[in-house]
Amino acid sequence: MSELLTRHPWILGIVLTLVVHEWIWLAQIARKGCDMRANARSLGFAGIRRATETVRHRHYWGYRRDRSRFGGVITAVTLIVLAKVRTWSRHVATLTFFSCAAPALAAPGVLTGKLIVDPASGSLIGDICMGQLPSGVTGFSLNPGLNIREVRYSLGGAPLAFERDPKRPTDYDASYYRLSAKAGPDLCISYVGRFPVYDVDKGERANDDWKGRIAFDGKTIRAADQSRFVPAPITEAGVEKAQMAYDVTIVCANCRTIFWNGSRPAAGPSARFTSSTPRALMLYAGDVDFTSQPQADFVGLPVTIPVATAVSAGLKRIAAVHASYLRLPYSDQPSLMSFASVGRDRKLDKTSWQFVVWPSIAADGRLAFAKYLRAAEPANGLSTGFQRYLAHEMAHYYFGTRLVPNGPLQWFLTESTAEFLSMKAVRQLQGEAAYMDLLAEHTAAVGKDGAVVPLDRVTNADQIGETYRYKLGPLLLIGLEQKLGAATVSRMLSNLVADAPDTEISYADLQARLRIEGATQKDLDVFAAECLIANVTSLCWSIRQQ
């Protein structure tokens, strides 16, 4: 070996240079934490492939392969060293799942002001300012049950004329308004509304309930981001900017608990919440309990320390699976919220509806958190059903929070990807038999819906319905893995999250990203022939034991 290095000192140079390259990558992770683009192409597997091809090339730093009989050995040694260093460094990068600060998301501004709410009467009064807005804000959205008192350029500033946007009719969740002139860096809106109160403990129920409803159940108010209970600015391009940093005060005279998404719950009757991290916004407040633990917050019902510890451990195991697959660590501690739905088809003490406003995971039924655990051995973790449900919702940290897609494929890139990760977690945490049962269940559901719009021909988000989002979509991703390789798909999804684009993502964009990660056109053509068809079947994905 010494003779080899004496004759060819450039060999040591190659190895040392590439190893240092890897250690720089690791140092960046240590320094930047969760903001590190862990899969940056210049430092990722694509970089290894390029380095390998360079080593194999006939010319490298003046070296010609025909002048040495050690070319193959050199390549092998280089790759072994790289593989060992990268394996260890990536392991270190995913050791701490809830330990980093939240990643810096694109901040559209800061929400400030006050909300006064009364769960008993169903009233909501808002005096809200949106500050540090990007240029080009021409309108805003607000819940259709909220009446606007006035709009101003800034707090105490001149009034600003506004009108309903004729190009965007009111829907169940929002009314859309356009301004008479572009907003400046600040936009202030005061408004008031009163909503029906359904005392669910007395059996009162609304016709339906959904995430976009501002709901009063006789004890609490629940207002999620989809309800636009606070205004969301709309840019000239028609894009709503819903995630905002905040400094807000909530006043609720008869509330024992006030919870604002992204902050720890607080005791009423008033509380101030601040965060420099942009968040999707949600308010839950009323005559309910909360418990704060180091690993998670529990809102809506009391919880014992052993139960909180067991549930938190279950969340951490799910986080480990997701972080390992994407090689991107979690940077938040989740909050679990148990609430009562006002919908007629919902029941107390039974969960049939869940949603996420990250980092909050909400489940209806006002179900005790102890029921999330295995009945026979609660200390040993989550029940299989709740493990699967929480695995889906926790995947929305990546798909729906760090990556906020818009355009025709938004449901595929939000819900199908989350269910795909959930299936991965089921396989690893519950075993192969549970995974195969889930695969068969999804396959059977797809067969009942008949023809669908192939993914590469979707032109409207509504073409991806419930079955498509939660059943077919994840199966398409499984088929993609089987045809292109799991590592290729994993890298593509990881880079998509780490370098989340602001523009619409089309199937052509996904194809291009897959090619960067090593997919061949031949493999993509096979996937298209078997999976991008109207009457897609399990020929696309295998349901045999893998």
Side-chain angles (χ1 to χ4, degrees):
M1 180 62 72
S2 60
E3 179 185 354
L4 175 64
L5 293 177
T6 301
R7 292 177 55 191
H8 304 285
W10 59 269
I11 298 173
L12 184 60
I14 291 176
V15 174
L16 290 177
T17 298
L18 294 176
V19 169
V20 169
H21 186 68
E22 291 298 307
W23 281 98
I24 291 174
W25 179 86
L26 182 58
Q28 287 175 314
I29 289 176
R31 186 176 70 253
K32 297 183 179 180
C34 297
D35 289 338
M36 175 62 190
R37 304 294 199 200
N39 269 341
R41 292 185 189 89
S42 62
L43 297 171
F45 286 99
I48 286 185
R49 285 197 299 275
R50 286 193 292 269
T52 304
E53 292 307 314
T54 304
V55 173
R56 287 173 176 164
H57 200 270
R58 289 182 63 87
H59 294 277
Y60 190 80
W61 294 354
Y63 167 70
R64 290 180 180 273
R65 189 192 302 174
D66 58 6
R67 289 169 56 187
S68 172
R69 53 197 174 92
F70 299 109
V73 175
I74 295 164
T75 300
V77 170
T78 302
L79 293 179
I80 290 170
V81 172
L82 281 173
K84 291 294 183 183
V85 174
R86 178 163 294 279
T87 298
W88 186 82
S89 58
R90 287 200 185 281
H91 176 68
V92 171
T94 56
L95 280 178
T96 53
F97 305 108
F98 296 139
S99 61
C100 308
L105 304 174
V110 180
L111 190 86
T112 60
K114 178 189 288 187
L115 290 176
I116 303 174
V117 299
D118 181 12
S121 66
S123 68
L124 188 159
I125 301 170
D127 196 359
I128 295 295
C129 289
M130 298 172 285
Q132 302 177 28
L133 294 175
S135 60
V137 170
T138 58
F140 61 92
S141 61
L142 192 66
N143 187 277
L146 295 170
N147 300 300
I148 298 172
R149 180 177 181 272
E150 66 178 359
V151 177
R152 294 181 176 274
Y153 277 107
S154 60
L155 186 64
L160 181 60
F162 64 95
E163 64 178 0
R164 291 280 179 90
D165 188 343
K167 297 180 180 179
R168 299 188 69 174
T170 295
D171 55 35
Y172 287 109
D173 303 330
S175 294
Y176 302 91
Y177 300 89
R178 65 183 185 185
L179 303 170
S180 60
K182 287 184 181 180
D186 301 294
L187 183 66
C188 297
I189 303 169
S190 59
Y191 52 91
V192 61
R194 191 161 183 171
F195 299 83
V197 177
Y198 299 93
D199 192 333
V200 297
D201 291 301
K202 294 180 179 179
E204 298 175 1
R205 294 284 177 170
N207 185 56
D208 55 6
D209 197 359
W210 71 101
K211 191 181 176 186
R213 181 173 198 135
I214 298 178
F216 291 84
D217 70 359
K219 296 175 66 171
T220 68
I221 171 179
R222 186 195 79 240
D225 56 338
Q226 187 175 317
S227 73
R228 315 312 203 283
F229 71 103
V230 291
I234 300 176
T235 67
E236 203 166 10
V239 178
E240 286 184 78
K241 299 291 186 180
Q243 294 190 5
M244 304 188 79
Y246 54 80
D247 183 349
V248 295
T249 297
I250 310 299
V251 178
C252 181
N254 297 311
C255 289
R256 290 192 294 120
T257 293
I258 302 175
F259 176 57
W260 184 270
N261 187 53
S263 289
R264 311 212 81 163
S270 68
R272 180 183 177 186
F273 302 97
T274 62
S275 174
S276 59
T277 301
R279 297 287 192 189
L281 304 175
M282 180 174 68
L283 169 66
Y284 184 65
D287 185 19
V288 294
D289 294 288
F290 74 89
T291 302
S292 289
Q293 293 292 318
Q295 304 92 342
D297 293 310
F298 297 82
V299 183
L301 290 170
V303 63
T304 65
I305 291 178
V307 168
T309 300
V311 172
S312 297
L315 296 177
K316 198 162 187 177
R317 282 193 286 271
I318 294 169
V321 176
H322 291 347
S324 175
Y325 179 77
L326 291 173
R327 298 181 303 283
L328 295 171
Y330 268 82
S331 61
D332 268 321
Q333 295 182 174
S335 298
L336 296 181
M337 186 178 104
S338 184
F339 68 95
S341 170
V342 300
R344 186 168 295 148
D345 57 342
R346 312 293 183 186
K347 299 181 183 301
L348 291 176
D349 204 36
K350 181 180 180 180
T351 292
S352 58
W353 174 39
Q354 307 88 28
F355 66 82
V356 63
V357 183
W358 189 262
S360 299
I361 301 172
D364 81 321
R366 214 183 280 158
L367 189 71
F369 294 111
K371 294 188 177 180
Y372 286 30
L373 302 173
R374 298 176 186 176
E377 42 183 352
N380 289 331
L382 299 167
S383 69
T384 55
F386 269 99
Q387 191 174 64
R388 175 182 165 186
Y389 141 62
L390 289 170
H392 177 101
E393 301 302 347
M394 290 183 68
H396 282 306
Y397 163 70
Y398 298 111
F399 299 101
T401 303
R402 292 194 62 174
L403 172 67
V404 185
N406 53 67
L409 297 187
Q410 61 179 285
W411 294 121
F412 175 79
L413 293 170
T414 303
E415 297 297 345
S416 299
T417 48
E419 183 62 14
F420 172 69
L421 286 189
S422 175
M423 295 175 75
K424 293 276 184 188
V426 166
R427 189 175 200 174
Q428 186 159 332
L429 298 174
Q430 299 180 20
E432 195 70 16
Y435 171 76
M436 296 304 294
D437 288 345
L438 186 55
L439 197 60
E441 175 190 315
H442 283 17
T443 300
V446 169
K448 295 176 182 178
D449 269 13
V452 298
V453 179
L455 194 63
D456 60 338
R457 279 165 265 177
V458 171
T459 57
N460 187 300
D462 291 338
Q463 292 173 319
I464 298 181
E466 292 286 312
T467 301
Y468 204 135
R469 297 174 198 179
Y470 299 104
K471 307 295 184 181
L472 175 59
L475 293 175
L476 292 177
L477 287 166
I478 289 172
L480 196 64
E481 275 198 337
Q482 291 174 356
K483 290 166 177 58
L484 275 63
T488 298
V489 177
S490 169
R491 291 195 300 270
M492 184 274 288
L493 292 174
S494 180
N495 281 321
L496 189 62
V497 172
D499 300 301
D502 294 327
T503 56
E504 289 186 6
I505 303 169
S506 67
Y507 180 75
D509 296 326
L510 296 180
Q511 269 194 321
R513 287 173 175 269
L514 287 165
R515 289 193 193 96
I516 289 172
E517 303 305 334
T520 67
Q521 189 58 49
K522 180 180 177 182
D523 290 337
L524 289 169
D525 290 343
V526 171
F527 176 76
E530 296 181 2
C531 304
L532 302 182
I533 54 178
N535 293 293
V536 61
T537 69
S538 58
L539 179 65
C540 171
W541 58 90
S542 172
I543 58 173
R544 66 181 184 275
Q545 196 84 7
Q546 298 170 38

